[in-house]
Amino acid sequence: MSNINSKIPEGPLAQKWTYYKEHQKIVAPANKRKLDIIVVGTGLAGASAAASLGQMGFNVKSFCIQDSPRRAHSIAAQGGINAAKNYQNDGDSVYRLFIDTIKGGDYRSREANVYRLAEVSNNIIDQCVAQGVPFAREYGGVLANRSFGGVQVSRTFYARGQTGQQLLLGAYQAMMRQVHEGTVTLHTRSEIVDIVIIDGKARGVITRNIVTGKLERHFAHAVVLATGGYGNTFFLSTNAMGSNGSAIIRAYQKGAYFANPCFIQIHPTCIPVHGDFQSKLTLMSESLRNDGRIWVPKKKEDAEAIRAGKLKPTEIAEEDRDYYLERRYPAFGNLVPRDVASRAGKERCDAGYGVNTTGRAVFLDFKEAIERLGKKTITERYGNLFQMYQKIENDNPYETPMMIYPAIHYVMGGLWVDYELQTNIPGLYCCGEANFSDHGANRLGASALMQGLADGYFVLPYTIQNYLAGEIRTDRMSTDLPEFEEAEKNSQLRFEKLKNINGKRSVDSIHKELGNIMWEHVGMGRTKKGLEEGIKMIVALKKEFWSNVRIPGDMEGMNVELDKASRLADFLEMGELIARDALSRNESCGGHFREESQTADGEALRDDKNFAYVSCWKYQGENADPELNKEELNYENVKMVQRNYK
Amino acid sequence: MESFLNLTIKVWHQKGPTEKGRFESYKVEHISTDSSFLEMMDILNEKLIKENKEPIAFDHDCREGICGMCSLYINGRPHGPDDDITTCQLYMRKFKDGETITVEPWRAAAFPVIKDLIVDRTAFDKIIAAGGYISVGTGGVPDGNNIAIPKDIAEQAMDSAACIGCGACVAACKNSSAMLFVSAKVSQLALLPQGKAESKRRAKNMVKKMEELGFGGCTNTRACEVECPKNISVSNIARLNREFLKSEFSE
Amino acid sequence: MSNFLSVSIGRKFLMSITGIFMMLFICVHLTLNLFLVFDDSGNLFNVGANFMSTNPLIKIMEPILALGFIIHIIWAFIIYYQNYKTRPIGYAVTDRSYSSNWNARNMLVIGALVLTFLVIHLINFYYVIKFDSAAMGQVTIDGTQMHNTYALVAGLFKGSVIYGILYMTAGILLGFHLSHGFWSAFHTIGFNNENWIPRLIVVSKIFAVIVATGFSIIPLYFMIKF
């Protein structure tokens, strides 16, 4: 059906990665020094890749938009990281982690990639412990675990509610060690504005120095994009304000396939939206669902009274509470996967049982857990999250239940990559959230950290050598080559064009409007009609943006609005692509819910016959519709079944 | 309950690293007490853009208190008038109607201003590069459970590791000292068995780098610990002193 | 060890060691001084003073103590200057009192005030005892002839309310200096942890109160009684 080659190695599933590693080409130490690699982004994937590649002896150039690599948004991951260690003796194994991930992803991911992920998961834990990541321990001194959504074993390693922070700092420190050794050069406050392709291969990038406003050219034998997800297309999300999809959009516009853009995870436990001034949404870790129970009032009049402020949640009797997840999914209860929990919450709110003044929230209650375990244990487990909640909501979650609502959190979609994490542009690699590879249509909790570090520490440093082994005779190229010159000129023109629009509207006001369109038309419940309308609105908004945005300040020096405008221009492209993909995928799977495709009791209904593929979008130019290519998903080891968490 | 505030924001303006800065005052109206401080700044910037003025530049990213990017000195305190928070977690309910709020950048020779309220904190990265790690490469490491680490040691290490590198300690310190930042990393790694091997070398290299970069010394005023959004204790500084002196006296 | 003093922790170590050393001296000094109020005949104090001026160990310690003082004082100014340079542009608005105590922030100022007093103190007593002992009368206690130091001290306080107030103020200032200096010295040499910080601070405060009251009570005693 397609010419897309995912380069899955030969052999039985469990031997593929070993086979690959044994047969791939590698680069001799003396040659490594002569090879330059650009790594864009310093999150878990980027920092760990830069650290590992630097340590191997490659000459690495690392870029990030923040003032320090340690700010990358991986730092905000709270709950934990999965690994198939089976330290708890509860029957866990690499195979079980693999199956859980495939099933959690609603059978839309590649078997071989996922198996490899499960396989290297154990190495990650060992690596991080050796780096000094202070994982939680038991009294006996061994590593502690907690449970997470969508699985029935306890395999999540954690460092309080700050696992992402600790893992990122581990990777960051490993990278800074290489900076000290001189193998990694750091470029902070630098944003990628174009990717330079010479003779069909990725050979460098054009960056914009955020402090000086100057464009710079950088050559490398290979370019790795680890720039995270594009969730901020929705304006309000749990992503950091600076998180953007510009680098991967640029790669897409240069010919790289964009895979499964509509697979976006909506996280069920976020602090609800307040007002128009809101700039971002704060996540409350999924780990809270270990001990917290989700409910709404059973009676509509109670919900109404709570919304009006006449009734407190603590005044509602036990029998008048609807623990709807426990009711609908007795086997998994509050620990169903995120997509399921989010939809169930939305369903209750749509039906009129929502709380908060807006009616767009449900309760997450710790009363029973506090009675069972004591306040001290709960504080130990979730203290920082409770404090965070209290600061925002001005309400004490130890006494009254938290209010939560789903929010955009993570994107499973991203640049298409093969088994080697290489895009269809030779020499251009993509790892972490920025690629599409391992999570299918829905990511399980604590798997993002696993994937980011697996890619960066243990996958990419091997697979990239298979390509670089063929580049040892390519000398460093001059950045005066016409390809660099042209790329820089185009970027310059693009920024000038943005700056010269001189319209009336601020970047944020247009971004908010895009966010509203996305949430309403391309959000949790998608329909053909809604998506078609959404696309029209995005196209119109794009026009509005390019004719009416206002960017004060100068081209020279720091100009925050110009940076934001450039990113928003790309989010507008992204929004349209998400909607197109969602429209073309007329089935429900994982985070993608088409209302036309559901079971009688409102669960997502897959259509494996027609949609068991990865949609790979190919850019066709500014005014043409992108072309849809399909990578068929062949399940040789797992039988595709309807997910069942009941 | 939500109410609304009219405020005067007195904010530091500086066009570039070498330019001279000055304070400028702006009025903002009808700010919800439920909005965050940075959302109030967004509203102010939106207003400035409407007036075709350049908005105020300030660092921020995650807006949930963990990335350490936000860095404002508000009404005389780093991260403003609330405890255990970063600027992005400061809510307008902490202010009174009619108040004048003074917003300044971190002030320290080691943190030069880039623009308006944005300062350059790469000095912190340089300190980490000088030794803030365990020298272990990717791969070839023992099983995670190979070394038993007592729960209380792991917890203590985590307390120290919670540092977000925002620089509030430097901003709060009368000597612009980065001792709390340095000591938190040194402590985390010195507490853990994995990090003990090079703990002396680490302490020495990091402290020397800190001073080379223009941070001051510690005079134990403990302002850093009070203003630290993550409650990093000055007991880390005592441990750093210990590690450093051990290193010096063993030579 | 080569560049020990080029690093702030090294410099501070020296401050702490000299500080701890001087605190020991203060304990001895205070004990001796309190003899003034326990025996109005002055014999007890004179015996003590005589012991101090004749004991060989004390004689050896004297120059070391002086050196300690000098290092502590000079070092304080050097450290202050180095720290001062770290903030070329100050804050327009600060609320420092929220996060730290004024005495901790102003150790140099308090120390300098104590130093000013120290100079007067040395002129008042030390100079007379050391270099102008002829000015003092003699007493014989238990057959030993010695200087009547008691008369010198008591005379000053009986004769001058201003000196009395000056000495009381100095005692109190020293107390403030020590209430930070005591625990801080231990902290700097690394003798501290999460559990010991509050304990040391309590000890610090108690020590400061004892020193401040101890030294202030003496001029007060003479002012009230005589």
Side-chain angles (χ1 to χ4, degrees), chain C residues 89-132:
Chain C
I89 302 173
Y91 293 109
V93 179
T94 52
D95 185 7
R96 288 247 162 80
S97 60
Y98 183 82
S99 53
S100 58
N101 294 327
W102 70 274
N103 61 326
R105 290 195 305 276
N106 296 298
M107 286 296 274
L108 184 89
V109 177
I110 301 170
L113 289 173
V114 174
L115 174 65
T116 319
F117 158 78
L118 190 66
V119 174
I120 299 169
H121 180 56
L122 289 175
I123 294 168
N124 282 346
F125 301 133
Y126 188 79
Y127 176 81
V128 178
I129 295 165
K130 275 279 167 191
F131 306 108
D132 196 16

Side-chain angles (χ1 to χ4, degrees), chain A residues 51-52 55 66-71 73 75-76 78 85 87 123 125-127 129-135 137-143 159-160 162 165-166 169 172-174 176-177 179-180 186 188-189 211 238-243 274 277-283 380 387-388 390-394 457-458 502 506 508-509 550 552-554 558-561, chain B residues 2 15 17 32 34-36 39 42-43 46 49-55 57 59-64 66-69 82-85 89 91 93 114-115 118-122 124-126 128-130 132-139 141-145 147-151 154-159 161-166 181 185 188-189 192 194 230:
Chain A
S52 305
Q55 183 220 337
Q66 298 92 343
D67 69 332
S68 161
R70 65 182 292 154
R71 314 278 184 225
H73 199 53
I75 202 135
Q78 297 167 349
K85 284 280 194 189
Y87 283 158
N123 302 355
I125 302 304
D126 302 341
Q127 183 66 34
V129 168
Q131 286 171 347
V133 169
F135 282 121
R137 300 267 171 172
E138 304 292 353
Y139 280 106
V142 295
L143 289 156
R160 270 184 218 156
Q162 290 133 279
Q165 180 199 27
Q166 294 312 314
L169 291 182
Y172 156 74
Q173 286 160 204
M176 293 314 286
R177 177 169 161 250
V179 169
H180 188 66
L186 201 58
T188 57
R189 295 199 198 260
V211 177
T238 64
N239 287 5
M241 303 300 285
S243 300
H274 283 280
F277 51 79
Q278 189 132 2
S279 57
K280 82 152 267 160
L281 296 170
T282 304
L283 175 78
E380 265 177 29
Q387 186 231 21
M388 198 194 278
Q390 184 154 18
K391 291 285 178 193
I392 296 172
E393 288 287 321
N394 208 16
Y457 282 131
F458 298 110
N502 242 331
S506 72
D508 277 358
S509 74
R550 170 186 287 178
D554 306 316
M558 185 177 258
N559 188 336
V560 179
E561 288 300 305
Chain B
E2 187 179 13
K15 227 170 151 31
S32 162
D34 279 347
S35 76
S36 75
E39 283 161 356
D42 292 341
I43 293 169
E46 186 76 26
I49 294 167
K50 276 213 180 91
E51 295 165 8
N52 217 2
K53 289 182 191 147
E54 203 176 341
D59 263 335
H60 64 103
D61 200 20
C62 77
R63 295 211 180 183
E64 50 185 273
I66 193 74
C67 75
M69 192 127 175
D82 195 358
D83 294 325
D84 312 330
I85 51 139
Q89 295 172 300
Y91 276 75
R93 57 181 86 96
I114 293 175
K115 182 174 183 172
I118 295 180
V119 298
D120 181 358
R121 281 170 291 187
T122 44
F124 271 10
D125 291 330
K126 289 177 188 154
I128 295 293
Y133 41 75
I134 293 173
S135 297
V136 52
T138 307
V141 298
D143 186 90
N145 258 348
I147 322 164
I149 301 174
K151 189 179 161 84
E155 292 292 324
Q156 271 187 59
M158 183 59 224
D159 284 339
C163 169
I164 56 172
C166 64
F181 170 77
K185 190 48 69 189
Q188 178 207 340
L189 300 177
L192 297 168
Q194 306 94 298
K230 298 294 156 189

Side-chain angles (χ1 to χ4, degrees), chain A residues 143-316:
Chain A
L143 289 156
N145 288 116
R146 57 165 62 137
S147 321
F148 247 68
V151 298
Q152 287 169 316
V153 293
S154 194
R155 64 159 74 102
T156 304
F157 295 80
Y158 63 100
R160 270 184 218 156
Q162 290 133 279
T163 319
Q165 180 199 27
Q166 294 312 314
L167 297 177
L168 180 67
L169 291 182
Y172 156 74
Q173 286 160 204
M175 182 173 80
M176 293 314 286
R177 177 169 161 250
Q178 295 306 320
V179 169
H180 188 66
E181 303 283 325
T183 59
V184 176
T185 338
L186 201 58
H187 301 264
T188 57
R189 295 199 198 260
S190 276
E191 183 151 15
I192 303 305
V193 291
D194 207 353
I195 292 155
V196 181
I197 292 168
I198 299 176
D199 296 333
K201 289 176 173 178
R203 290 297 186 197
V205 292
I206 305 294
T207 62
R208 183 168 180 275
N209 183 321
I210 291 175
V211 177
T212 63
K214 289 206 171 67
L215 295 177
E216 293 166 6
R217 307 172 187 183
H218 299 273
F219 163 81
H221 292 88
V223 176
V224 180
L225 299 181
T227 54
Y230 47 87
N232 269 347
T233 310
F234 288 74
F235 188 72
L236 286 181
S237 80
T238 64
N239 287 5
M241 303 300 285
S243 300
N244 67 79
S246 289
I248 55 174
I249 282 284
R250 201 67 68 246
Y252 160 69
Q253 289 169 340
K254 287 271 171 169
Y257 292 129
F258 208 110
N260 295 337
C262 82
F263 288 168
I264 293 170
Q265 178 164 80
I266 297 180
H267 198 293
T269 51
C270 299
I271 298 179
V273 179
H274 283 280
D276 295 338
F277 51 79
Q278 189 132 2
S279 57
K280 82 152 267 160
L281 296 170
T282 304
L283 175 78
M284 287 284 109
S285 168
E286 174 160 305
S287 61
L288 291 170
R289 286 199 273 144
N290 263 314
D291 291 309
R293 298 177 71 196
I294 295 177
W295 63 277
V296 291
K298 235 177 222 168
K299 298 184 203 145
K300 254 189 200 158
E301 55 270 28
D302 283 351
E304 275 155 19
I306 286 177
R307 289 203 286 272
K310 286 180 199 146
L311 197 62
K312 285 194 191 119
T314 43
E315 290 165 358
I316 294 183

Side-chain angles (χ1 to χ4, degrees), chain A residues 324-343:
Chain A
Y324 57 89
L325 287 177
E326 295 168 28
R327 170 170 59 80
R328 282 177 69 174
Y329 310 100
F332 281 71
N334 291 296
L335 284 175
V336 289
R338 291 174 177 174
D339 55 331
V340 178
S342 289
R343 269 197 300 278

Side-chain angles (χ1 to χ4, degrees), chain A residues 289-293 365-375 377-378 381-382:
Chain A
R289 286 199 273 144
N290 263 314
D291 291 309
R293 298 177 71 196
D365 201 332
F366 289 86
K367 186 167 156 267
E368 191 242 22
I370 290 171
E371 278 164 11
R372 179 162 46 89
L373 302 161
K375 195 178 160 184
T377 310
I378 295 295
R381 286 186 192 169
Y382 315 112

